Amino acid sequence: MPYFIVNSIISWFLKKRIHQIDLFLKYPIDVQEELLLKLVATAKKTEFGKKHHFSEINNYSDFSKNVPIQKYESIAPLIERCRKGEQNLFWPTPIKWFAKSSGTTNAKSKFIPVSNEALEYCHLKAGKDMLCLYITNNEESQLFKGKGLKLGGSSAIYEDNNSYFGDLSAIITENLPFWADFSSAPKQETALLAEWETKLEAIIEETIHEDITSLVGVPSWMLVLMNRVLDKTGKNNILEVWPNLEVYFHGGVNFNPYREQFKKLIPKKNFRYYETYNASEGFFAIQDQNNSKELLLMLDYGIFYEFIPMTEYKGESSKAIPLSEVKKEVDYGLIITTNAGLWRYMIGDTIKFTSLDPYRIKITGRTRHYINVFGEELNIENVEDALNLACKKTNSTITDYTLAPIFMEGKNSGGHEWMIEFKDAPENLQYFTELLDNALKSINSDYEAKRYNNLTLAFPKVNVARKGLFYDWLKKKGKLGGQHKVPRLSNKREFLEELLSL
């Protein structure tokens, strides 16, 4: 079938979804309330549902009283039983897939249940919506005349007690519809290769002669791929390899530190960047406008949302609020209840609303990924805005970084110590550090107060990492590729000390 016909058919099919999206845009609270009651009714005869009296839940107030807020550790015993073959524990339909995730800082693996409902009505649906929103905003798109290059995780699927686990990207690859496989690269067996370096080379061999029109993947690993493509082909930029490339769908980490590098590698004035927000636990939000830094919260994926104001955050003892009570520009910890049997689950991310009609958000960080050793309350958004400013003023670009505290000793002030790997280093590191420090002061009043006269926080210390340090660190930990990423902020020195020793 000619590609222009395929392009037209798939575009028409995807655009039909816009009418359903319009429904939750018009009635967001009703859609969420109806969804919650449906989830509760579906799971009322499960072990978890009986324990928490789901049959007596008639509204959100009942739900919040009957069901506790939970971290992974609280539900791990039930998940382990499910992995060993027991069913109807927290979700009534059989669960055989588990997304293995160790997160950014925790070396111990988590096994997130992925039900058939979550696969079909959340993860796969979101993939179609990502394309739908892009096509709707770009009528001239020729996306399906070529192929989309998807760079997923490095783990294959493993079987254990008749259940299967692996990276979420590998699970999704195993369950893709035929048309998605037809329009994607690399082929499935390559995408599921377990060894990252081998897979990367195989992807390059398969795709350098294809007509690639879109890229999908985590920015840090996509940069690795694109640079190796240029090394392999001897070309100056990616458009010389894939001239019809028109959009990059990215997520997993803040894109700002990587933006300038992508612009250099893809020097196309009207090239599009579309951000997504997903995790092993679910797919939550998608950029729905061209050239936007906001994400539309997707309300009909079988996920009920709650939010903890971070000013009142007390872990599992926190009080959460529903969507109807949120306010703009407030940092919230995200709580989800899903169609895979996660109930009031603390995902660990923080977000803020930029719009309430429709509900659009920005990701501001992680509940555990902040620095507050000295009362400075720095989050990832603060740090990356400051880095972005310092890089612009010094014409520098960053490959990776991490930040840790310098603890007080005797009469010495505390401080922050950075490890930064530059792609283009600043000519004057001292000037860069001054810009970074001043930017943080202007962005965060708590940081500024603690920096006053160096009483609590001394001037920051910046270490320049050798080329490839972070890559080598991740490789040593067996965390190359996919959703694996460098921990950005920590209240401990563990990661920094490991990097300093390499």
Side-chain angles (χ1 to χ4, degrees), residues 373-468:
V373 174
F374 311 102
E376 66 273 44
E377 296 189 12
L378 276 189
N379 63 29
I380 286 179
E381 185 182 35
N382 299 157
V383 166
E384 297 200 331
D385 284 349
L387 281 172
N388 196 38
L389 190 148
C391 283
K392 280 186 177 179
K393 290 193 174 182
T394 57
N395 295 315
S396 53
T397 53
I398 289 174
T399 301
D400 260 315
Y401 75 90
T402 193
L403 169 59
I406 300 171
F407 294 106
M408 293 179 175
E409 288 187 15
K411 295 181 179 180
N412 294 329
S413 300
H416 290 164
E417 184 170 4
W418 299 71
M419 178 68 77
I420 302 178
E421 183 179 334
F422 292 97
K423 185 176 188 297
D424 302 297
E427 289 185 7
N428 187 323
L429 183 63
Q430 176 72 13
Y431 178 54
F432 176 90
T433 309
E434 288 173 3
L435 288 170
L436 178 60
D437 184 44
N438 288 331
L440 287 171
K441 288 177 184 176
S442 67
I443 291 168
N444 185 308
S445 59
D446 291 311
Y447 178 86
E448 182 182 33
K450 302 303 180 291
R451 281 283 294 115
Y452 180 73
N453 283 343
N454 296 328
L455 290 176
T456 305
L457 282 176
F459 187 72
K461 178 181 180 180
V462 174
N463 300 294
V464 176
R466 63 170 173 78
K467 299 288 184 183

Side-chain angles (χ1 to χ4, degrees), residues 260-277:
E260 292 306 314
Q261 294 181 64
F262 272 84
K263 286 181 179 179
K264 288 179 182 178
L265 290 172
I266 311 172
K268 187 175 184 178
K269 190 175 181 181
N270 62 342
F271 189 78
R272 302 293 188 194
Y273 295 93
Y274 263 62
E275 185 176 0
T276 62
Y277 174 26

Side-chain angles (χ1 to χ4, degrees), residues 39 169 174 177 269 319 344 397 412 460 477 492:
L39 291 171
S169 57
E174 285 269 8
K269 190 175 181 181
K319 183 178 181 345
R344 306 197 82 195
T397 53
N412 294 329
K477 289 183 167 290
K492 302 177 181 178

Side-chain angles (χ1 to χ4, degrees), residues 17-32 133 286 288 295-300 323 355-360:
R17 166 69 174 143
I18 286 295
H19 300 297
Q20 296 171 316
I21 293 175
D22 284 340
L23 182 65
F24 76 69
L25 291 178
K26 290 178 182 176
Y27 308 105
I29 306 305
D30 292 340
V31 167
Q32 278 281 282
L133 290 165
I286 304 172
D288 67 319
L295 306 177
L296 180 67
L297 191 63
M298 306 303 285
L299 303 177
D300 65 348
L323 187 65
S355 166
L356 302 183
D357 185 19
Y359 286 97
R360 292 196 180 102

